[in-house]
C-alpha cells in the first residue's frame, strides 16, 4: 500500500513563498507519477502540477506556471512543490497523489491527507 504524507503548508502573506513536501513510502518513487492537487471552497479540484515517475515530464496549471516548481528527490522518496509570489487565489488544501506511471497524473491510485495553504494579508 502506497502512502503519501504532505507537509509545509501554512499561512503566508501575498507575495510570500512556501515549500510543500510529499514523502512517499511503500514503493520507490520511480513507479508513479506524482501530482499536486488543490481543493478550495466553491471551486473545482485543480491539478496544480504533475511530475512523471522518471522526472522527465513536468506539467503546471496555467495559473501557477512560472511561480511554482515541482521536483523529485529520489534518494529521499520526496516530491516537492516550491511556491513563490503566492496569491490569495492559491489558497486551498494541497494534496499530493500517486498516479499510474505514464498517465500524466490522470489515473490517481493513492492520495495524501493534504496540507492547508492560506495566502492572506
Amino acid at each position: 500500500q502506497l502512502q503519501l504524507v504532505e507537509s509545509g503548508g501554512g499561512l503566508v502573506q501575498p507575495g510570500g513563498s512556501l515549500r510543500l513536501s510529499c514523502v512517499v513510502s511503500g514503493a520507490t518513487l520511480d513507479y508513479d507519477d506524482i501530482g499536486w492537487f488543490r481543493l478550495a471552497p466553491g471551486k473545482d479540484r485543480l491539478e496544480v502540477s504533475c511530475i512523471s515517475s522518471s522526472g522527465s515530464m513536468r506539467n503546471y496549471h496555467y495559473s501557477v506556471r512560472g511561480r511554482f516548481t515541482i521536483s523529485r528527490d529520489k534518494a529521499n522518496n520526496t516530491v516537492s512543490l516550491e511556491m513563490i509570489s503566492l496569491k490569495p487565489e492559491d489558497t486551498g488544501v494541497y494534496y499530493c497523489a500517486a498516479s499510474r506511471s505514464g498517465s500524466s497524473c490522470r489515473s490517481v491510485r493513492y492520495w495524501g491527507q493534504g496540507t492547508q495553504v492560506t495566502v492572506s494579508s
Side-chain angles (χ1 to χ4, degrees), residues 41-62:
K43 299 180 180 179
D44 293 333
R45 186 178 69 194
L46 179 72
E47 180 189 309
V48 177
S49 186
C50 176
I51 188 167
S52 64
S53 58
S54 68
S56 62
M57 182 278 296
R58 295 172 172 86
N59 291 328
Y60 300 93
H61 189 265
Y62 74 90

Side-chain angles (χ1 to χ4, degrees), residues 6-92:
E6 305 96 330
S7 63
L11 175 64
V12 64
Q13 293 185 341
S17 302
L18 285 173
R19 181 184 178 95
L20 306 183
S21 295
C22 174
V23 179
V24 182
S25 62
T28 67
L29 201 56
D30 294 346
Y31 292 140
D32 285 82
D33 297 346
I34 303 295
W36 284 98
F37 298 82
R38 183 176 72 218
L39 288 176
K43 299 180 180 179
D44 293 333
R45 186 178 69 194
L46 179 72
E47 180 189 309
V48 177
S49 186
C50 176
I51 188 167
S52 64
S53 58
S54 68
S56 62
M57 182 278 296
R58 295 172 172 86
N59 291 328
Y60 300 93
H61 189 265
Y62 74 90
S63 66
V64 307
R65 195 171 293 128
R67 299 187 297 116
F68 291 11
T69 303
I70 191 169
S71 61
R72 303 184 74 126
D73 181 353
K74 294 183 178 181
N76 294 293
N77 281 348
T78 301
V79 173
S80 297
L81 185 69
E82 298 184 20
M83 307 182 294
I84 66 171
S85 301
L86 283 162
K87 305 174 180 179
E89 50 263 45
D90 296 323
T91 294

Side-chain angles (χ1 to χ4, degrees), residues 1-4 24-35 37 45 53 72 96-112:
Q1 183 81 6
L2 200 65
Q3 294 179 324
L4 305 96
V24 182
S25 62
T28 67
L29 201 56
D30 294 346
Y31 292 140
D32 285 82
D33 297 346
I34 303 295
F37 298 82
R45 186 178 69 194
S53 58
R72 303 184 74 126
C96 62
S99 300
R100 178 173 55 85
S101 181
S103 70
S104 296
C105 299
R106 300 299 183 182
S107 183
V108 174
R109 302 192 301 134
Y110 304 101
W111 292 89

